[in-house]
Amino acid sequence: MEVLLLGTGAADGWPNPFCTCASCRKALAHGRIREQTAALVDETLLLDCGPEVPRAALRYGRSLSGVRHLLITHAHFDHLGPQALLQRSWADGAGPLDLVGPADALEACRTWVGPDDPVRFVPVAAGDSLTVGDYRVRVLAAEHRVFRDGDAVLYDVEGAGGRILWACDTGPLPAHWYGHVADAGFDAVFLEETFGDRLDHGTDHHDLPAFAHTVEKLRECGAVRDDTDVVAVHLGHHNPDIDTLRLRLSESGARPGTDGEVMVVGEPIGRRTLVLGGARSGKSRHAERLLEPYGAVTYVATGGIREGDAEWAQRVTLHRDRRPSSWSTLETVDVAQVLREAREPLLIDCLGTWLTAMLDRHGVWDGGDVTATSRDVDDLLDAWTACRVPVVAVSNEVGSGVVPASASGRLFRDLLGRVNAAVAERSDTVTLLVAGLPVPLR
């Protein structure tokens, strides 16, 4: 089961576009822009659809044309932008759509659906169970309301590849509620955490202490296991800065979600991602953003230290300064060994400098045997395939420029092109960065 987080922000996002508080200023300065919370599951099931969601899907390279099921939690504007149904009707060949949600939320959608649109309205209430396409869905009560008690719900969604809890929006849940998810053993839980350190907000949302309490109760009843990915969503600007928030959430075994994050739920092996790009294309920054949701990440720097090169030292310093303080840096070219022994997510930057080091090691520039480097590449590929943690590798896209003038340049270009192709073949996701924009290849 693939889950793409189309947004992880509260109703006003984070930062609030009209706010100048410290949290908003820092988020804006670092480009950490969160839109309204929603998720796309297997490109066929959509969890909530606020007005920002359709454009967010396009921004992350996904079409919503394959969505056949929309599960709405409630009718607040950031969870339901019914105008999307009108936009859908303008597309030729729009297929059938199951619109699932509380009756009041569905009522808000009816005037946006044409009389001939293949949209089926499925009103639900807490306690209902139903089959939606290939998914088994249980409807759970939310401690949240729009106009009346019961007009907001949560969803327990189970498919062939895993089981998730979509708990957004809700305040702290009563003790009897946990009996409905006892021993569920969710692969992932998406739990709202709106107010951070602000405690005078009422009862319809979580703050950090309430979030920790809810996660503890989910663990006690068996809904959350040791390997459950607990993801905080619906994050608002009353939270501390993201690095501090990550540490605070880690105390509960949770982490903040990130807009555009792709999760493979229920898959036992770590997800492998290759990020390609030319010089200054933004490939390293994009790779870092992919791993921001994880509290601890090992940054594998394959370029090493270049004595006397001030410009290189400045580049290294800039890279280090923008990484979260919870990340560690490992300078090594023994990448295959790191992949095999890893116990936390990895970012390998980059395969181009790694290949250069292998060519240096075997004296290829001076006429050494290139087959020794081929053995290094085979070892890297075996370790890449077997890696048990999420791993992102960065590499230079070298096939789009002019033919290098030197024989050594042509050799390097050809070898790295082959390395990139082989790693891409063994990757779950491949992205090309062009002028700072990610172009999904797989």
Side-chain angles (χ1 to χ4, degrees):
M1 182 187 291
E2 181 195 79
V3 180
L4 166 61
L5 288 177
L6 297 172
T8 58
D12 52 349
W14 184 18
N16 179 310
F18 303 96
C19 183
T20 58
C21 73
S23 175
C24 287
R25 291 200 310 271
K26 187 165 185 178
L28 182 61
H30 287 82
R32 291 165 172 166
I33 311 301
R34 296 171 187 271
E35 298 187 66
Q36 296 160 349
T37 294
L40 179 62
V41 179
D42 296 331
E43 298 197 0
T44 189
L45 186 148
L46 191 57
L47 291 164
D48 282 329
C49 185
E52 297 174 347
V53 166
R55 289 293 163 189
L58 297 177
R59 189 175 303 114
Y60 300 123
R62 302 299 179 94
S63 168
L64 297 181
S65 60
V67 171
R68 295 293 175 261
H69 323 289
L70 171 54
L71 273 58
I72 302 166
T73 55
H74 61 292
H76 277 147
F77 79 96
D78 56 317
H79 294 261
L80 177 59
Q83 62 270 26
L85 297 168
L86 179 61
Q87 296 168 3
R88 182 180 183 274
S89 72
W90 294 339
D92 293 335
L97 175 69
D98 291 330
L99 196 58
V100 180
D104 287 350
L106 298 190
E107 193 62 34
C109 298
R110 291 188 184 276
T111 58
W112 295 92
V113 176
D116 298 323
D117 283 354
V119 176
R120 183 170 70 105
F121 289 81
V122 184
V124 294
D128 290 347
S129 296
L130 63 158
T131 298
V132 178
D134 296 328
Y135 304 93
R136 294 176 294 280
V137 176
R138 290 199 309 145
V139 186
L140 303 170
E143 284 295 305
H144 195 78
R145 57 179 288 169
V146 183
F147 301 111
R148 59 182 64 84
D149 291 341
D151 63 1
V153 298
L154 312 177
Y155 291 108
D156 169 357
V157 180
E158 186 174 7
R163 187 176 182 183
I164 65 174
L165 173 63
W166 186 254
C168 182
D169 290 351
T170 184
L173 297 154
H176 66 81
W177 184 93
Y178 295 94
H180 298 293
V181 295
D183 299 319
F186 292 108
D187 294 293
V189 168
F190 301 91
L191 177 61
E192 75 116 87
E193 193 284 288
T194 306
F195 279 103
D197 290 315
R198 180 175 177 178
L199 307 182
D200 61 344
H201 54 83
T203 59
D204 277 1
H205 291 284
H206 280 84
D207 47 49
L208 277 166
F211 181 92
H213 177 75
T214 296
V215 173
E216 180 183 4
K217 290 297 183 182
L218 288 169
R219 291 189 189 281
E220 288 177 357
C221 74
V224 167
R225 309 178 306 236
D226 289 342
D227 61 345
T228 300
D229 196 359
V230 181
V231 184
V233 293
H234 208 264
L235 300 167
H237 67 128
H238 295 290
N239 280 285
D241 68 83
I242 192 63
D243 293 332
T244 302
L245 177 61
R246 184 178 289 109
L247 292 173
R248 298 272 295 276
L249 291 171
S250 68
E251 297 172 1
S252 303
R255 63 177 181 84
T258 298
D259 288 28
E261 173 186 353
V262 178
M263 302 166 53
V264 179
V265 175
E267 183 177 300
I269 195 165
R271 188 172 180 82
R272 295 168 294 277
T273 299
L274 175 63
V275 178
L276 300 166
R280 298 297 190 183
S281 61
K283 58 186 182 296
S284 293
R285 186 69 188 101
H286 178 76
E288 291 166 4
R289 284 175 175 163
L290 293 177
L291 289 171
E292 278 183 351
Y294 298 95
V297 173
T298 299
Y299 185 100
V300 184
T302 62
I305 300 172
R306 302 181 184 179
E307 297 293 343
D309 190 335
E311 188 271 340
W312 180 261
Q314 183 181 23
R315 285 195 184 201
V316 171
T317 299
L318 289 173
H319 275 243
R320 283 182 171 171
D321 288 347
R322 74 188 184 202
R323 294 175 213 147
S325 58
S326 57
W327 288 24
S328 59
T329 300
L330 177 63
E331 293 180 351
T332 182
V333 295
D334 294 324
V335 175
Q337 179 180 352
V338 173
L339 286 165
R340 291 189 173 97
E341 297 177 355
R343 294 296 180 269
E344 64 184 27
L346 299 174
L347 197 165
I348 300 167
D349 194 357
C350 74
L351 296 182
T353 50
W354 171 82
L355 178 61
T356 300
M358 296 301 100
L359 293 169
D360 287 342
R361 176 180 287 181
H362 300 299
V364 173
W365 309 122
D366 301 319
D369 187 2
V370 74
T371 59
T373 303
S374 298
R375 288 193 292 271
D376 292 329
V377 172
D378 290 341
D379 190 35
L380 175 76
L381 294 173
D382 288 343
W384 176 261
T385 304
C387 186
R388 305 295 297 183
V389 300
V391 55
V392 178
V394 176
S395 191
N396 303 98
E397 175 49 52
V398 292
S400 300
V402 298
V403 176
S406 65
S408 59
R410 291 191 293 274
L411 173 64
F412 176 79
R413 181 196 63 173
D414 292 348
L415 289 176
L416 185 56
R418 292 169 188 163
V419 169
N420 288 345
V423 173
E425 183 180 2
R426 294 161 176 79
S427 298
D428 303 294
T429 300
V430 183
T431 301
L432 175 67
L433 267 289
V434 181
L437 301 175
V439 180
L441 304 180
R442 172 179 296 168

